[in-house]
């Protein structure tokens, strides 16, 4: 039986790789990498650095060109489902061709595989087809959310209060009013700028855990324009950007 390891590798800092992840990398015969094109070569290079440091010398690497997602359609869920299906097609073929029975393959996943990542859903899709058989294990990683909080030296929650992890798409529909601490991921449109009139602080970070890391924090109305400009300049310079942020409602005055 083949074995597949889904390994969380943290937000980009090699020092954030857990001992469990390093041990798992030692077990892998072959690593499957999704190549996102020349603009995001940095993402492949960082994975290759981890493999050079922690994988066995005889490991193999199989690169699969990541299909482009259709961003022209109005049906977001349908587009994402189609994109994941294409990924599953390619990775199913790669596993069948490059991972022999008894072999151990690995996927190196940014952050934590359980938080806004498609790898686990794709693995389940492949298994459901019943054309390629394997078992798989998930090794958690340090998420970008945890790294964001650490870099800004803050807690995600306040005493006795919940916090919400959501997406820019959901934030665009509504600013939640029943929670005061909101972590936002996958926001390509700087949705926070819609809420500059709210009494919110923002803790923003891009390229977390990498040498290109950028951090900005402050009252949203005072720093939103700076974040938008900085984000645009960084994306123009590198060709890609990964960022996340925490919106924190300032304490409301106590009632009479």
């Amino acid at each position: 039986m083949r074995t597949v390891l889904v390994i969380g590798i943290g937000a980009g800092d090699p020092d954030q790789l857990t001992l469990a992840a390093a041990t798992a990398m030692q077990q892998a015969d072959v690593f499957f990498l999704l190549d996102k094109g020349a603009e995001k070569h940095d993402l492949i290079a960082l994975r290759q650095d981890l493999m050079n440091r922690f994988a066995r010398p005889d490991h193999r690497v199989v690169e699969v060109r990541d299909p482009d997602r259709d961003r022209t359609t109005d049906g977001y869920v349908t587009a994402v489902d189609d994109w994941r299906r294409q990924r599953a097609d390619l990775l199913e073929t790669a596993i069948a061709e490059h991972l022999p029975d008894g072999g151990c393959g690995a996927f190196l996943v940014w952050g934590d595989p359980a938080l806004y990542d498609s790898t686990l859903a794709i693995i389940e899709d492949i298994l459901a087809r019943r054309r390629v058989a394997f078992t798989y294990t998930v090794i958690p990683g340090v998420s970008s959310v945890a790294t964001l909080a650490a870099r800004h030296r803050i807690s995600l929650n306040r005493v006795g209060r919940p916090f919400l992890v959501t997406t820019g798409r959901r934030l665009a529909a509504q600013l939640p009013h029943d929670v005061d601490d909101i972590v936002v991921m996958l926001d390509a449109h700087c949705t926070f700028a819609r809420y500059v009139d709210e009494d919110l602080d923002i803790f923003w970070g891009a390229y977390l855990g990498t040498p290109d890391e950028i951090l900005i924090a402050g009252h949203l109305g005072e720093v939103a324009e700076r974040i938008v400009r900085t984000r645009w300049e960084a994306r123009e310079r590198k060709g890609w950007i990964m960022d996340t942020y925490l919106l924190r409602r300032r304490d409301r005055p106590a009632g009479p």
Side-chain angles (χ1 to χ4, degrees):
M1 177 67 74
R2 302 174 177 93
T3 301
V4 170
L5 305 174
V6 182
I7 305 172
I9 60 172
D13 184 349
D15 289 338
Q16 289 185 352
L17 194 76
T18 67
L19 292 175
T23 299
M25 290 181 66
Q26 281 282 319
Q27 300 171 17
D29 303 308
V30 56
F31 292 85
F32 297 98
L33 303 185
L34 282 169
D35 181 1
K36 297 178 180 292
E39 284 188 344
K40 295 186 177 180
H41 178 72
D42 291 352
L43 302 180
I44 292 288
L46 285 168
R47 285 182 171 92
Q48 289 174 333
D49 178 56
L50 289 176
M51 288 184 289
N52 290 338
R53 292 174 62 175
F54 299 105
R56 297 200 314 261
D58 61 345
H59 75 272
R60 294 179 291 116
V61 176
V62 174
E63 292 190 21
V64 178
R65 181 67 170 93
D66 196 14
D68 295 325
R69 195 184 63 172
D70 184 1
R71 301 180 185 274
T72 62
T73 180
D74 292 332
Y76 172 76
V77 174
T78 299
V80 171
D81 286 344
D82 289 344
W83 178 49
R84 287 185 174 181
R85 194 173 301 111
Q86 292 178 59
R87 277 182 157 187
D89 292 342
L90 293 169
L91 293 175
E92 179 185 41
T93 299
I95 291 171
E97 292 182 355
H98 298 283
L99 186 61
D101 288 339
C104 180
F107 293 89
L108 302 180
V109 177
W110 285 109
D112 185 280
L115 185 61
Y116 286 107
D117 183 81
S118 63
T119 306
L120 297 182
I122 290 170
I123 292 289
E124 286 292 336
D125 183 358
I126 295 171
L127 287 173
R129 301 174 183 189
R130 298 183 179 276
R131 294 193 289 259
V132 181
F134 55 86
T135 62
Y136 75 97
T137 300
V138 181
I139 295 88
V142 178
S143 70
S144 62
V145 175
T147 303
L148 176 78
R151 290 294 192 261
H152 282 291
R153 298 179 295 179
I154 57 173
S155 297
L156 294 172
N157 68 294
R158 288 177 281 183
V159 177
R161 306 190 203 181
F163 69 93
L164 173 70
V165 180
T166 189
T167 65
R169 183 175 292 271
R170 297 294 297 244
L171 184 68
Q174 182 182 22
L175 177 68
H177 291 286
D178 57 348
V179 62
D180 294 332
D181 299 281
I182 306 158
V183 176
V184 184
M185 306 181 72
L186 305 178
D187 184 5
H189 303 292
C190 296
T191 307
F192 56 80
R194 300 186 181 195
Y195 302 109
V196 292
D197 294 330
E198 299 280 343
D199 196 15
L200 296 166
D201 288 323
I202 185 170
F203 301 87
W204 177 83
Y207 311 115
L208 290 163
T210 75
D212 297 308
E213 181 177 272
I214 309 170
L215 301 172
I216 298 176
H219 189 270
L220 181 60
E222 297 173 358
V223 301
E225 184 177 340
R226 177 183 164 202
I227 294 173
V228 172
R229 182 179 65 255
T230 300
R231 188 185 191 282
W232 181 85
E233 291 172 350
R235 194 181 191 287
E236 286 293 300
R237 182 173 63 252
K238 288 183 66 67
W240 63 277
I241 191 167
M242 291 194 298
D243 61 332
T244 189
Y245 56 90
L246 169 70
L247 291 177
R248 169 158 287 169
R249 189 172 279 110
R250 293 190 168 186
D251 281 333
R252 298 162 179 167

